[in-house]
Amino acid sequence: MIGVDVSSGDRLALGVLTQYRMATTEQMHRVIAPEVRIEQTRRRLARLRAEGLVDRITLPQAGRTRVWFPTPYGVQLASEWPEMRGHRPPRTVSDPTAVRLKAGHTLTVTETALAFLEDARRHGDLFRPLDWIPEVHHPIGSGAAVIPDALLYYRRGPADGDNGSMLRAFVEVDRATMGPERLAAKLTAYDRLHRYVPAVPGRRPTFQEPAVEEWRRRYPLFPRVLFVLDGTGPVGVENRIRALRAGAGLLAPSRFPYDVPILAAPLADLLHHGPSAPVWRPVRDPDQRVPWTGLASRET
């Protein structure tokens, strides 16, 4: 890679694009180098493009916004790095037509990541760009799977002498492109994931080796579930939160809605106040307003 600085900003830029799927120039600047002039980010992206690692399309709307995405060569290179955790993006990530068709949702997911990233920077919390991992596959049996829009790893800054709390969350970004009932149906899938124990061919659980839910192989505690709502006004937000509450009620007698915080908030509130502000509404009690970090047992 002639001319590419693999030891610093170029490597981070390619890693972010590979993991996030796509981002605008302005989003990339806010992720990788907000402390410098945006011209430096433009030059970096142009250099990566000249090396064949990334490409771009121009959206006809929104002021002819440039959207950047990795090429197959860029994906191949970045996917070999340890920090990518072996996560492989779908093949369509490098197809310009797929990028154009998926830009609305994917760029909104990227903007949601930025809301958490910039909030963490302000509060001294540890949340790095690659701690936001889109579309992690979680099997729930019979060929079905839960694939959240993102999984995030977040460590709160030290407070009162402790070492900070490690938090994990599944993030679902809803742009009002599906009905409230379909949105609420996602809770059924998460409930299945919460209970799912994979069958091991030829083996039965024993007292010494009891059956273990699949998610416990990845997480000390089940990640909280965050619904970020966009593309609708206050009435639409209320309708969706009511649908989520009704969906949670239908899961009885499951312990999932009681053991796992399920929260919803408008994206506009996250962008204006920050995700750590009390802008989240618990699905079981939507009259409350809480920070997303405050309702679960501490994860370590």
Side-chain angles (χ1 to χ4, degrees):
M1 290 194 306
I2 299 173
V4 175
D5 179 7
V6 297
S7 65
S8 57
D10 289 352
R11 181 178 177 123
L12 177 59
L14 180 58
V16 165
L17 278 179
T18 299
Q19 192 152 294
Y20 287 33
R21 312 302 198 251
M22 66 185 79
T24 67
T25 306
E26 188 257 350
Q27 286 176 332
M28 285 297 295
H29 179 65
R30 290 161 58 197
V31 171
I32 67 172
E35 71 283 355
V36 302
R37 295 172 60 86
I38 195 171
E39 286 76 11
Q40 294 187 37
T41 300
R42 292 193 180 103
R43 288 195 295 269
R44 187 182 302 281
L45 292 169
R47 182 168 62 250
L48 292 173
R49 188 183 186 214
E51 295 291 335
L53 296 169
V54 307
D55 205 349
R56 72 188 186 204
I57 63 169
T58 302
L59 299 179
Q61 67 275 25
R64 297 187 60 79
T65 299
R66 287 180 173 175
V67 177
W68 297 86
F69 58 95
T71 64
Y73 173 43
V75 171
Q76 177 185 0
L77 179 66
S79 296
E80 297 173 355
W81 298 339
E83 61 265 36
M84 301 303 289
R85 301 188 179 92
H87 183 50
R88 298 293 187 269
R91 294 179 181 178
T92 54
V93 73
S94 295
D95 179 75
T97 300
V99 169
R100 178 176 59 83
L101 294 176
K102 295 182 177 182
H105 179 76
T106 307
L107 293 177
T108 303
V109 174
T110 299
E111 193 66 22
T112 304
L114 270 161
F116 283 92
L117 182 62
E118 293 173 338
D119 195 54
R121 288 167 175 166
R122 287 192 295 269
H123 291 89
D125 296 338
L126 182 59
F127 176 61
R128 295 157 296 195
L130 296 182
D131 290 333
W132 177 272
I133 311 174
E135 298 183 9
V136 179
H137 186 277
H138 297 79
I140 54 177
S142 303
V146 170
I147 307 176
D149 286 319
L151 164 68
L152 70 85
Y153 291 85
Y154 192 103
R155 184 176 291 278
R156 300 181 66 180
D160 299 325
D162 69 19
N163 293 321
S165 303
M166 172 60 75
L167 307 174
R168 301 165 186 84
F170 296 128
V171 182
E172 294 284 351
V173 177
D174 173 57
R175 299 176 59 239
T177 55
M178 65 176 70
E181 293 78 12
R182 285 185 60 196
L183 175 66
K186 290 179 178 287
L187 291 177
T188 302
Y190 279 106
D191 176 55
R192 285 182 61 184
L193 175 62
H194 190 249
R195 294 182 286 108
Y196 174 59
V197 177
V200 180
R203 293 183 59 186
R204 293 183 178 180
T206 66
F207 180 79
Q208 291 80 12
E209 296 184 49
V212 176
E213 293 88 349
E214 173 67 19
W215 64 266
R216 295 186 188 276
R217 305 176 189 276
R218 305 191 190 195
Y219 314 111
L221 295 176
F222 195 91
R224 60 203 68 196
V225 182
L226 307 179
F227 287 90
V228 178
L229 309 177
D230 193 34
T232 184
V235 173
V237 168
E238 292 298 325
N239 288 340
R240 289 173 183 279
I241 292 177
R242 280 200 297 268
L244 287 168
R245 185 181 186 185
L250 294 175
L251 297 178
S254 170
R255 292 295 310 171
F256 169 64
Y258 299 90
D259 294 343
V260 178
I262 307 170
L263 310 172
L267 177 59
D269 287 353
L270 269 62
L271 298 177
H272 184 69
H273 301 287
S276 63
V279 297
W280 299 88
R281 299 171 62 176
V283 165
R284 287 185 56 236
D285 187 3
D287 291 332
Q288 290 190 56
R289 299 291 190 278
V290 300
W292 79 274
T293 55
L295 281 186
S297 301
R298 186 160 84 183
E299 300 184 33
T300 57

